[in-house]
Amino acid sequence: MAERITNFDDWKDLFYKWQKDIGFDPELVKDYKFDAIYDEGTSPTIEFGEFKGRKKFEKILDMPTQDMRDSLLHLIFYQGDTEFGSSEQQRKLIDSAPSDYDRQCLIRVMREEQRHGWQMCHVLISNFGDSGKLEARKQLERHAYDNSRLLGAFNKNVDDFIDFLTYTCFIDRDGKYQLTMLHHSSFAPLSRSMGPMLKEEAFHLFTGQTGLSRIVRAGKVPIPLLQKYLNKWLSTGYDLFGKDRSSAAARFYRWGFKGRFDEATATEPPQDLDRLNEEARLLYYKEDCEIIEGLNRLIPEGRPKLRAPDMKFNRQIGDYADKMFSVEGKPLSEAEYKKHLEEVLPGPADRKVLEPIFKAGDWMSAGAANA
Ligand SMILES: [Fe+2]
Ligand SMILES: [Fe+2]
């Protein structure tokens, strides 16, 4: 059982201990200062929902009900949990980066995710009294590698550098959606946290997207094999938007905590508050398809192309959770499905194929400038 924490400095001690526990060498980021960063946020007044037009909540006691405070606490510690989870998932990849440039990108992504977790814990500890301190501590006690992160996506294995790049391209893209939706929050400290986090997130997406482009350009990793990574991580990304019908998402919207991804440009209020998750997931899916289109343009004529798996495939959350659909969206029998999963998700046989490719060292085209 970890020690009680009374203030943010106590929490920092736990954070540095956590870095060591997960095997992240603090020397890798010795010139970087972890800090909570706030900007001015999006607007001084609440932008949508029941309290629209009122001054944003600066303190949780400005909110009229305990129910609201509890839900907000929940929303923030779920976000924080994903940030620490991702660093745990990526912790073993430092030595497998294909170049020094890629290693630096990985280290930057990891330290920024750690800062995002730090930021969420700063919001928790500064605003939520004892329950905030308890939740901030628990962020560092759950671990991806013992399957105790709150969302399944953040307990999955990130086994190699292709996993990392597919993850930053598509799971960090979910992150961009979540942060954008929280950017307009009626809780001012949360809204003011999101601008700096989103700026950092943009680099993660860049790392993933250019990384996948560089793999395709180099032409060494077979496209059908790369497709398996897309099948794994896009289906995981679909899940991250939550249930198709969600009364929690509706409440978050009504209370102004979490807006729509396109809240800033939307001209109409939402048609159906219970379907906000589904709408966000659809926007995410469309954006994924555009990214994949861009990758396909790099594949020479007559070669297999990449595609986004059907939104029904491999789902653990929502209407299609635990249903058996193929990557093309075809219903399958139990036996067919079991076989299908072995064929379309990365497995031990694929790792064997990749081993010599990784060893040869030229499986990604050159970094940043011409990515
Ligand atoms: Fe993040
Ligand atoms: Fe990220």
Side-chain angles (χ1 to χ4, degrees), residues 118-150:
W118 176 292
Q119 180 82 27
M120 291 300 95
C121 287
H122 192 263
V123 174
L124 289 172
I125 291 171
S126 315
N127 294 284
F128 287 87
D130 283 345
S131 30
K133 288 171 193 152
L134 176 67
E135 290 303 336
R137 197 187 76 195
K138 279 159 61 179
Q139 304 268 298
L140 302 173
E141 292 173 352
R142 291 184 283 261
H143 294 300
Y145 46 84
D146 43 52
N147 221 25
S148 56
R149 286 290 164 198
L150 295 172

PDB file of all heavy atoms in Angstrom, residues 118-150:
ATOM      1  N   TRP A 118       0.646  13.666 -15.273  1.00  0.00           N
ATOM      2  CA  TRP A 118       1.041  14.622 -14.224  1.00  0.00           C
ATOM      3  C   TRP A 118       0.017  15.760 -14.152  1.00  0.00           C
ATOM      4  O   TRP A 118      -0.433  16.161 -13.073  1.00  0.00           O
ATOM      5  CB  TRP A 118       2.437  15.142 -14.592  1.00  0.00           C
ATOM      6  CG  TRP A 118       3.069  16.195 -13.757  1.00  0.00           C
ATOM      7  CD1 TRP A 118       2.662  17.487 -13.633  1.00  0.00           C
ATOM      8  CD2 TRP A 118       4.261  16.068 -12.954  1.00  0.00           C
ATOM      9  NE1 TRP A 118       3.529  18.178 -12.815  1.00  0.00           N
ATOM     10  CE2 TRP A 118       4.517  17.332 -12.384  1.00  0.00           C
ATOM     11  CE3 TRP A 118       5.142  15.015 -12.688  1.00  0.00           C
ATOM     12  CZ2 TRP A 118       5.611  17.580 -11.553  1.00  0.00           C
ATOM     13  CZ3 TRP A 118       6.236  15.260 -11.862  1.00  0.00           C
ATOM     14  CH2 TRP A 118       6.464  16.516 -11.301  1.00  0.00           C
ATOM     15  N   GLN A 119      -0.351  16.275 -15.335  1.00  0.00           N
ATOM     16  CA  GLN A 119      -1.316  17.377 -15.405  1.00  0.00           C
ATOM     17  C   GLN A 119      -2.662  16.964 -14.789  1.00  0.00           C
ATOM     18  O   GLN A 119      -3.242  17.707 -13.999  1.00  0.00           O
ATOM     19  CB  GLN A 119      -1.519  17.760 -16.885  1.00  0.00           C
ATOM     20  CG  GLN A 119      -2.504  18.893 -17.132  1.00  0.00           C
ATOM     21  CD  GLN A 119      -1.882  20.275 -16.930  1.00  0.00           C
ATOM     22  OE1 GLN A 119      -0.673  20.435 -17.088  1.00  0.00           O
ATOM     23  NE2 GLN A 119      -2.704  21.252 -16.586  1.00  0.00           N
ATOM     24  N   MET A 120      -3.135  15.779 -15.157  1.00  0.00           N
ATOM     25  CA  MET A 120      -4.428  15.332 -14.622  1.00  0.00           C
ATOM     26  C   MET A 120      -4.355  15.159 -13.102  1.00  0.00           C
ATOM     27  O   MET A 120      -5.296  15.469 -12.387  1.00  0.00           O
ATOM     28  CB  MET A 120      -4.873  14.025 -15.310  1.00  0.00           C
ATOM     29  CG  MET A 120      -5.251  14.181 -16.777  1.00  0.00           C
ATOM     30  SD  MET A 120      -6.633  15.340 -17.083  1.00  0.00           S
ATOM     31  CE  MET A 120      -5.773  16.855 -17.450  1.00  0.00           C
ATOM     32  N   CYS A 121      -3.207  14.671 -12.633  1.00  0.00           N
ATOM     33  CA  CYS A 121      -3.057  14.509 -11.176  1.00  0.00           C
ATOM     34  C   CYS A 121      -2.982  15.867 -10.495  1.00  0.00           C
ATOM     35  O   CYS A 121      -3.461  16.030  -9.369  1.00  0.00           O
ATOM     36  CB  CYS A 121      -1.832  13.654 -10.865  1.00  0.00           C
ATOM     37  SG  CYS A 121      -2.163  11.932 -11.287  1.00  0.00           S
ATOM     38  N   HIS A 122      -2.402  16.844 -11.176  1.00  0.00           N
ATOM     39  CA  HIS A 122      -2.356  18.195 -10.609  1.00  0.00           C
ATOM     40  C   HIS A 122      -3.778  18.750 -10.479  1.00  0.00           C
ATOM     41  O   HIS A 122      -4.136  19.346  -9.452  1.00  0.00           O
ATOM     42  CB  HIS A 122      -1.488  19.105 -11.489  1.00  0.00           C
ATOM     43  CG  HIS A 122      -1.149  20.412 -10.847  1.00  0.00           C
ATOM     44  ND1 HIS A 122      -1.855  21.562 -11.089  1.00  0.00           N
ATOM     45  CD2 HIS A 122      -0.209  20.741  -9.916  1.00  0.00           C
ATOM     46  CE1 HIS A 122      -1.355  22.555 -10.363  1.00  0.00           C
ATOM     47  NE2 HIS A 122      -0.350  22.077  -9.644  1.00  0.00           N
ATOM     48  N   VAL A 123      -4.600  18.518 -11.492  1.00  0.00           N
ATOM     49  CA  VAL A 123      -6.004  18.964 -11.419  1.00  0.00           C
ATOM     50  C   VAL A 123      -6.719  18.230 -10.280  1.00  0.00           C
ATOM     51  O   VAL A 123      -7.443  18.844  -9.488  1.00  0.00           O
ATOM     52  CB  VAL A 123      -6.725  18.725 -12.773  1.00  0.00           C
ATOM     53  CG1 VAL A 123      -8.212  19.041 -12.656  1.00  0.00           C
ATOM     54  CG2 VAL A 123      -6.088  19.556 -13.883  1.00  0.00           C
ATOM     55  N   LEU A 124      -6.475  16.933 -10.167  1.00  0.00           N
ATOM     56  CA  LEU A 124      -7.151  16.147  -9.115  1.00  0.00           C
ATOM     57  C   LEU A 124      -6.759  16.641  -7.724  1.00  0.00           C
ATOM     58  O   LEU A 124      -7.614  16.872  -6.864  1.00  0.00           O
ATOM     59  CB  LEU A 124      -6.778  14.656  -9.232  1.00  0.00           C
ATOM     60  CG  LEU A 124      -7.360  13.885 -10.418  1.00  0.00           C
ATOM     61  CD1 LEU A 124      -6.739  12.493 -10.508  1.00  0.00           C
ATOM     62  CD2 LEU A 124      -8.886  13.781 -10.293  1.00  0.00           C
ATOM     63  N   ILE A 125      -5.455  16.796  -7.518  1.00  0.00           N
ATOM     64  CA  ILE A 125      -4.958  17.134  -6.178  1.00  0.00           C
ATOM     65  C   ILE A 125      -5.297  18.582  -5.818  1.00  0.00           C
ATOM     66  O   ILE A 125      -5.620  18.896  -4.668  1.00  0.00           O
ATOM     67  CB  ILE A 125      -3.435  16.856  -6.090  1.00  0.00           C
ATOM     68  CG1 ILE A 125      -3.206  15.341  -6.150  1.00  0.00           C
ATOM     69  CG2 ILE A 125      -2.821  17.449  -4.821  1.00  0.00           C
ATOM     70  CD1 ILE A 125      -1.762  14.907  -6.278  1.00  0.00           C
ATOM     71  N   SER A 126      -5.288  19.472  -6.797  1.00  0.00           N
ATOM     72  CA  SER A 126      -5.551  20.889  -6.505  1.00  0.00           C
ATOM     73  C   SER A 126      -7.030  21.176  -6.301  1.00  0.00           C
ATOM     74  O   SER A 126      -7.378  22.232  -5.778  1.00  0.00           O
ATOM     75  CB  SER A 126      -5.069  21.785  -7.654  1.00  0.00           C
ATOM     76  OG  SER A 126      -3.805  21.408  -8.078  1.00  0.00           O
ATOM     77  N   ASN A 127      -7.898  20.276  -6.756  1.00  0.00           N
ATOM     78  CA  ASN A 127      -9.324  20.631  -6.748  1.00  0.00           C
ATOM     79  C   ASN A 127     -10.252  19.677  -6.007  1.00  0.00           C
ATOM     80  O   ASN A 127     -11.365  20.065  -5.675  1.00  0.00           O
ATOM     81  CB  ASN A 127      -9.830  20.730  -8.192  1.00  0.00           C
ATOM     82  CG  ASN A 127      -9.187  21.880  -8.947  1.00  0.00           C
ATOM     83  OD1 ASN A 127      -9.545  23.034  -8.746  1.00  0.00           O
ATOM     84  ND2 ASN A 127      -8.214  21.570  -9.789  1.00  0.00           N
ATOM     85  N   PHE A 128      -9.830  18.443  -5.800  1.00  0.00           N
ATOM     86  CA  PHE A 128     -10.807  17.451  -5.340  1.00  0.00           C
ATOM     87  C   PHE A 128     -10.560  16.931  -3.928  1.00  0.00           C
ATOM     88  O   PHE A 128     -11.064  15.866  -3.568  1.00  0.00           O
ATOM     89  CB  PHE A 128     -10.880  16.277  -6.323  1.00  0.00           C
ATOM     90  CG  PHE A 128     -11.580  16.611  -7.610  1.00  0.00           C
ATOM     91  CD1 PHE A 128     -10.881  17.165  -8.672  1.00  0.00           C
ATOM     92  CD2 PHE A 128     -12.940  16.390  -7.763  1.00  0.00           C
ATOM     93  CE1 PHE A 128     -11.520  17.482  -9.860  1.00  0.00           C
ATOM     94  CE2 PHE A 128     -13.591  16.694  -8.952  1.00  0.00           C
ATOM     95  CZ  PHE A 128     -12.875  17.243 -10.006  1.00  0.00           C
ATOM     96  N   GLY A 129      -9.771  17.668  -3.133  1.00  0.00           N
ATOM     97  CA  GLY A 129      -9.581  17.277  -1.733  1.00  0.00           C
ATOM     98  C   GLY A 129      -9.062  15.858  -1.588  1.00  0.00           C
ATOM     99  O   GLY A 129      -8.289  15.375  -2.430  1.00  0.00           O
ATOM    100  N   ASP A 130      -9.520  15.169  -0.543  1.00  0.00           N
ATOM    101  CA  ASP A 130      -8.994  13.828  -0.260  1.00  0.00           C
ATOM    102  C   ASP A 130      -9.287  12.843  -1.382  1.00  0.00           C
ATOM    103  O   ASP A 130      -8.459  11.997  -1.707  1.00  0.00           O
ATOM    104  CB  ASP A 130      -9.596  13.292   1.043  1.00  0.00           C
ATOM    105  CG  ASP A 130      -8.925  13.944   2.248  1.00  0.00           C
ATOM    106  OD1 ASP A 130      -7.841  14.554   2.066  1.00  0.00           O
ATOM    107  OD2 ASP A 130      -9.489  13.870   3.351  1.00  0.00           O
ATOM    108  N   SER A 131     -10.480  12.946  -1.992  1.00  0.00           N
ATOM    109  CA  SER A 131     -10.761  11.962  -3.046  1.00  0.00           C
ATOM    110  C   SER A 131      -9.862  12.195  -4.248  1.00  0.00           C
ATOM    111  O   SER A 131      -9.453  11.234  -4.910  1.00  0.00           O
ATOM    112  CB  SER A 131     -12.234  11.906  -3.440  1.00  0.00           C
ATOM    113  OG  SER A 131     -12.850  13.131  -3.268  1.00  0.00           O
ATOM    114  N   GLY A 132      -9.509  13.442  -4.520  1.00  0.00           N
ATOM    115  CA  GLY A 132      -8.587  13.728  -5.623  1.00  0.00           C
ATOM    116  C   GLY A 132      -7.202  13.165  -5.324  1.00  0.00           C
ATOM    117  O   GLY A 132      -6.545  12.603  -6.216  1.00  0.00           O
ATOM    118  N   LYS A 133      -6.760  13.317  -4.079  1.00  0.00           N
ATOM    119  CA  LYS A 133      -5.425  12.794  -3.708  1.00  0.00           C
ATOM    120  C   LYS A 133      -5.404  11.273  -3.816  1.00  0.00           C
ATOM    121  O   LYS A 133      -4.440  10.683  -4.325  1.00  0.00           O
ATOM    122  CB  LYS A 133      -5.077  13.221  -2.284  1.00  0.00           C
ATOM    123  CG  LYS A 133      -4.756  14.708  -2.190  1.00  0.00           C
ATOM    124  CD  LYS A 133      -4.622  15.157  -0.756  1.00  0.00           C
ATOM    125  CE  LYS A 133      -4.620  16.676  -0.713  1.00  0.00           C
ATOM    126  NZ  LYS A 133      -5.126  17.222   0.526  1.00  0.00           N
ATOM    127  N   LEU A 134      -6.479  10.662  -3.366  1.00  0.00           N
ATOM    128  CA  LEU A 134      -6.551   9.199  -3.440  1.00  0.00           C
ATOM    129  C   LEU A 134      -6.511   8.738  -4.903  1.00  0.00           C
ATOM    130  O   LEU A 134      -5.747   7.834  -5.258  1.00  0.00           O
ATOM    131  CB  LEU A 134      -7.842   8.721  -2.758  1.00  0.00           C
ATOM    132  CG  LEU A 134      -8.108   7.226  -2.843  1.00  0.00           C
ATOM    133  CD1 LEU A 134      -7.065   6.443  -2.047  1.00  0.00           C
ATOM    134  CD2 LEU A 134      -9.516   6.891  -2.319  1.00  0.00           C
ATOM    135  N   GLU A 135      -7.296   9.386  -5.747  1.00  0.00           N
ATOM    136  CA  GLU A 135      -7.334   8.964  -7.154  1.00  0.00           C
ATOM    137  C   GLU A 135      -5.996   9.237  -7.846  1.00  0.00           C
ATOM    138  O   GLU A 135      -5.563   8.463  -8.694  1.00  0.00           O
ATOM    139  CB  GLU A 135      -8.480   9.651  -7.910  1.00  0.00           C
ATOM    140  CG  GLU A 135      -9.869   9.187  -7.499  1.00  0.00           C
ATOM    141  CD  GLU A 135     -10.080   7.688  -7.638  1.00  0.00           C
ATOM    142  OE1 GLU A 135      -9.365   7.047  -8.440  1.00  0.00           O
ATOM    143  OE2 GLU A 135     -10.957   7.151  -6.936  1.00  0.00           O
ATOM    144  N   ALA A 136      -5.342  10.339  -7.487  1.00  0.00           N
ATOM    145  CA  ALA A 136      -4.043  10.658  -8.103  1.00  0.00           C
ATOM    146  C   ALA A 136      -3.015   9.593  -7.711  1.00  0.00           C
ATOM    147  O   ALA A 136      -2.159   9.218  -8.515  1.00  0.00           O
ATOM    148  CB  ALA A 136      -3.580  12.040  -7.661  1.00  0.00           C
ATOM    149  N   ARG A 137      -3.124   9.112  -6.504  1.00  0.00           N
ATOM    150  CA  ARG A 137      -2.201   8.059  -6.068  1.00  0.00           C
ATOM    151  C   ARG A 137      -2.495   6.757  -6.812  1.00  0.00           C
ATOM    152  O   ARG A 137      -1.581   6.070  -7.280  1.00  0.00           O
ATOM    153  CB  ARG A 137      -2.362   7.859  -4.551  1.00  0.00           C
ATOM    154  CG  ARG A 137      -1.228   7.111  -3.919  1.00  0.00           C
ATOM    155  CD  ARG A 137      -1.532   6.807  -2.476  1.00  0.00           C
ATOM    156  NE  ARG A 137      -2.486   5.716  -2.387  1.00  0.00           N
ATOM    157  CZ  ARG A 137      -3.165   5.396  -1.283  1.00  0.00           C
ATOM    158  NH1 ARG A 137      -3.043   6.125  -0.186  1.00  0.00           N
ATOM    159  NH2 ARG A 137      -3.987   4.374  -1.279  1.00  0.00           N
ATOM    160  N   LYS A 138      -3.787   6.470  -6.951  1.00  0.00           N
ATOM    161  CA  LYS A 138      -4.147   5.212  -7.618  1.00  0.00           C
ATOM    162  C   LYS A 138      -3.714   5.176  -9.089  1.00  0.00           C
ATOM    163  O   LYS A 138      -3.510   4.108  -9.663  1.00  0.00           O
ATOM    164  CB  LYS A 138      -5.656   4.968  -7.494  1.00  0.00           C
ATOM    165  CG  LYS A 138      -5.988   4.366  -6.124  1.00  0.00           C
ATOM    166  CD  LYS A 138      -7.410   4.536  -5.666  1.00  0.00           C
ATOM    167  CE  LYS A 138      -8.455   3.918  -6.520  1.00  0.00           C
ATOM    168  NZ  LYS A 138      -9.805   4.140  -5.944  1.00  0.00           N
ATOM    169  N   GLN A 139      -3.550   6.362  -9.695  1.00  0.00           N
ATOM    170  CA  GLN A 139      -3.071   6.418 -11.084  1.00  0.00           C
ATOM    171  C   GLN A 139      -1.722   5.721 -11.223  1.00  0.00           C
ATOM    172  O   GLN A 139      -1.378   5.248 -12.289  1.00  0.00           O
ATOM    173  CB  GLN A 139      -2.847   7.870 -11.525  1.00  0.00           C
ATOM    174  CG  GLN A 139      -4.026   8.769 -11.380  1.00  0.00           C
ATOM    175  CD  GLN A 139      -4.855   8.827 -12.636  1.00  0.00           C
ATOM    176  OE1 GLN A 139      -4.370   9.252 -13.659  1.00  0.00           O
ATOM    177  NE2 GLN A 139      -6.066   8.382 -12.539  1.00  0.00           N
ATOM    178  N   LEU A 140      -0.953   5.780 -10.152  1.00  0.00           N
ATOM    179  CA  LEU A 140       0.406   5.228 -10.207  1.00  0.00           C
ATOM    180  C   LEU A 140       0.467   3.811  -9.631  1.00  0.00           C
ATOM    181  O   LEU A 140       1.527   3.208  -9.582  1.00  0.00           O
ATOM    182  CB  LEU A 140       1.362   6.151  -9.436  1.00  0.00           C
ATOM    183  CG  LEU A 140       1.407   7.592  -9.957  1.00  0.00           C
ATOM    184  CD1 LEU A 140       2.241   8.471  -9.041  1.00  0.00           C
ATOM    185  CD2 LEU A 140       1.964   7.627 -11.375  1.00  0.00           C
ATOM    186  N   GLU A 141      -0.669   3.295  -9.218  1.00  0.00           N
ATOM    187  CA  GLU A 141      -0.689   1.940  -8.644  1.00  0.00           C
ATOM    188  C   GLU A 141      -1.263   0.906  -9.599  1.00  0.00           C
ATOM    189  O   GLU A 141      -0.996  -0.280  -9.462  1.00  0.00           O
ATOM    190  CB  GLU A 141      -1.504   1.942  -7.343  1.00  0.00           C
ATOM    191  CG  GLU A 141      -0.810   2.746  -6.244  1.00  0.00           C
ATOM    192  CD  GLU A 141      -1.655   2.922  -5.004  1.00  0.00           C
ATOM    193  OE1 GLU A 141      -2.846   2.557  -5.026  1.00  0.00           O
ATOM    194  OE2 GLU A 141      -1.121   3.438  -4.011  1.00  0.00           O
ATOM    195  N   ARG A 142      -2.091   1.376 -10.553  1.00  0.00           N
ATOM    196  CA  ARG A 142      -2.585   0.442 -11.570  1.00  0.00           C
ATOM    197  C   ARG A 142      -1.496   0.330 -12.630  1.00  0.00           C
ATOM    198  O   ARG A 142      -0.733   1.263 -12.835  1.00  0.00           O
ATOM    199  CB  ARG A 142      -3.865   0.999 -12.212  1.00  0.00           C
ATOM    200  CG  ARG A 142      -5.056   1.031 -11.287  1.00  0.00           C
ATOM    201  CD  ARG A 142      -6.301   1.510 -12.029  1.00  0.00           C
ATOM    202  NE  ARG A 142      -6.272   2.935 -12.213  1.00  0.00           N
ATOM    203  CZ  ARG A 142      -6.926   3.810 -11.451  1.00  0.00           C
ATOM    204  NH1 ARG A 142      -7.675   3.403 -10.451  1.00  0.00           N
ATOM    205  NH2 ARG A 142      -6.841   5.108 -11.688  1.00  0.00           N
ATOM    206  N   HIS A 143      -1.427  -0.828 -13.293  1.00  0.00           N
ATOM    207  CA  HIS A 143      -0.389  -0.983 -14.321  1.00  0.00           C
ATOM    208  C   HIS A 143      -0.906  -1.710 -15.548  1.00  0.00           C
ATOM    209  O   HIS A 143      -1.598  -2.719 -15.422  1.00  0.00           O
ATOM    210  CB  HIS A 143       0.802  -1.775 -13.761  1.00  0.00           C
ATOM    211  CG  HIS A 143       1.536  -1.056 -12.669  1.00  0.00           C
ATOM    212  ND1 HIS A 143       2.133   0.148 -12.862  1.00  0.00           N
ATOM    213  CD2 HIS A 143       1.740  -1.381 -11.381  1.00  0.00           C
ATOM    214  CE1 HIS A 143       2.693   0.558 -11.734  1.00  0.00           C
ATOM    215  NE2 HIS A 143       2.457  -0.356 -10.805  1.00  0.00           N
ATOM    216  N   ALA A 144      -0.504  -1.191 -16.722  1.00  0.00           N
ATOM    217  CA  ALA A 144      -0.879  -1.861 -17.976  1.00  0.00           C
ATOM    218  C   ALA A 144      -0.423  -3.315 -17.954  1.00  0.00           C
ATOM    219  O   ALA A 144      -1.133  -4.201 -18.413  1.00  0.00           O
ATOM    220  CB  ALA A 144      -0.235  -1.133 -19.159  1.00  0.00           C
ATOM    221  N   TYR A 145       0.779  -3.542 -17.400  1.00  0.00           N
ATOM    222  CA  TYR A 145       1.340  -4.897 -17.508  1.00  0.00           C
ATOM    223  C   TYR A 145       0.776  -5.851 -16.467  1.00  0.00           C
ATOM    224  O   TYR A 145       1.086  -7.021 -16.472  1.00  0.00           O
ATOM    225  CB  TYR A 145       2.876  -4.866 -17.469  1.00  0.00           C
ATOM    226  CG  TYR A 145       3.465  -3.979 -16.381  1.00  0.00           C
ATOM    227  CD1 TYR A 145       3.615  -4.448 -15.092  1.00  0.00           C
ATOM    228  CD2 TYR A 145       3.863  -2.674 -16.672  1.00  0.00           C
ATOM    229  CE1 TYR A 145       4.144  -3.634 -14.106  1.00  0.00           C
ATOM    230  CE2 TYR A 145       4.394  -1.846 -15.695  1.00  0.00           C
ATOM    231  CZ  TYR A 145       4.536  -2.333 -14.404  1.00  0.00           C
ATOM    232  OH  TYR A 145       5.051  -1.525 -13.423  1.00  0.00           O
ATOM    233  N   ASP A 146      -0.041  -5.365 -15.515  1.00  0.00           N
ATOM    234  CA  ASP A 146      -0.819  -6.366 -14.776  1.00  0.00           C
ATOM    235  C   ASP A 146      -2.314  -6.205 -15.014  1.00  0.00           C
ATOM    236  O   ASP A 146      -3.118  -6.600 -14.194  1.00  0.00           O
ATOM    237  CB  ASP A 146      -0.436  -6.492 -13.284  1.00  0.00           C
ATOM    238  CG  ASP A 146      -0.222  -5.176 -12.582  1.00  0.00           C
ATOM    239  OD1 ASP A 146      -1.119  -4.316 -12.660  1.00  0.00           O
ATOM    240  OD2 ASP A 146       0.830  -5.018 -11.979  1.00  0.00           O
ATOM    241  N   ASN A 147      -2.603  -5.636 -16.172  1.00  0.00           N
ATOM    242  CA  ASN A 147      -3.974  -5.623 -16.653  1.00  0.00           C
ATOM    243  C   ASN A 147      -4.915  -4.801 -15.782  1.00  0.00           C
ATOM    244  O   ASN A 147      -6.097  -5.076 -15.742  1.00  0.00           O
ATOM    245  CB  ASN A 147      -4.468  -7.084 -16.715  1.00  0.00           C
ATOM    246  CG  ASN A 147      -5.281  -7.340 -17.953  1.00  0.00           C
ATOM    247  OD1 ASN A 147      -5.100  -6.638 -18.962  1.00  0.00           O
ATOM    248  ND2 ASN A 147      -6.163  -8.316 -17.896  1.00  0.00           N
ATOM    249  N   SER A 148      -4.389  -3.833 -15.061  1.00  0.00           N
ATOM    250  CA  SER A 148      -5.263  -3.121 -14.131  1.00  0.00           C
ATOM    251  C   SER A 148      -5.542  -1.674 -14.534  1.00  0.00           C
ATOM    252  O   SER A 148      -6.144  -0.929 -13.770  1.00  0.00           O
ATOM    253  CB  SER A 148      -4.692  -3.189 -12.713  1.00  0.00           C
ATOM    254  OG  SER A 148      -3.366  -2.692 -12.674  1.00  0.00           O
ATOM    255  N   ARG A 149      -5.099  -1.265 -15.729  1.00  0.00           N
ATOM    256  CA  ARG A 149      -5.528   0.047 -16.213  1.00  0.00           C
ATOM    257  C   ARG A 149      -7.040  -0.001 -16.459  1.00  0.00           C
ATOM    258  O   ARG A 149      -7.597  -1.072 -16.733  1.00  0.00           O
ATOM    259  CB  ARG A 149      -4.762   0.428 -17.492  1.00  0.00           C
ATOM    260  CG  ARG A 149      -3.309   0.823 -17.203  1.00  0.00           C
ATOM    261  CD  ARG A 149      -3.219   2.144 -16.491  1.00  0.00           C
ATOM    262  NE  ARG A 149      -1.931   2.411 -15.859  1.00  0.00           N
ATOM    263  CZ  ARG A 149      -1.750   3.335 -14.914  1.00  0.00           C
ATOM    264  NH1 ARG A 149      -2.768   4.052 -14.474  1.00  0.00           N
ATOM    265  NH2 ARG A 149      -0.573   3.540 -14.397  1.00  0.00           N
ATOM    266  N   LEU A 150      -7.697   1.164 -16.377  1.00  0.00           N
ATOM    267  CA  LEU A 150      -9.160   1.176 -16.341  1.00  0.00           C
ATOM    268  C   LEU A 150      -9.799   0.783 -17.670  1.00  0.00           C
ATOM    269  O   LEU A 150     -10.880   0.228 -17.704  1.00  0.00           O
ATOM    270  CB  LEU A 150      -9.652   2.559 -15.920  1.00  0.00           C
ATOM    271  CG  LEU A 150      -9.260   2.957 -14.491  1.00  0.00           C
ATOM    272  CD1 LEU A 150      -9.628   4.417 -14.222  1.00  0.00           C
ATOM    273  CD2 LEU A 150      -9.933   2.052 -13.463  1.00  0.00           C
TER     274      LEU A 150
END
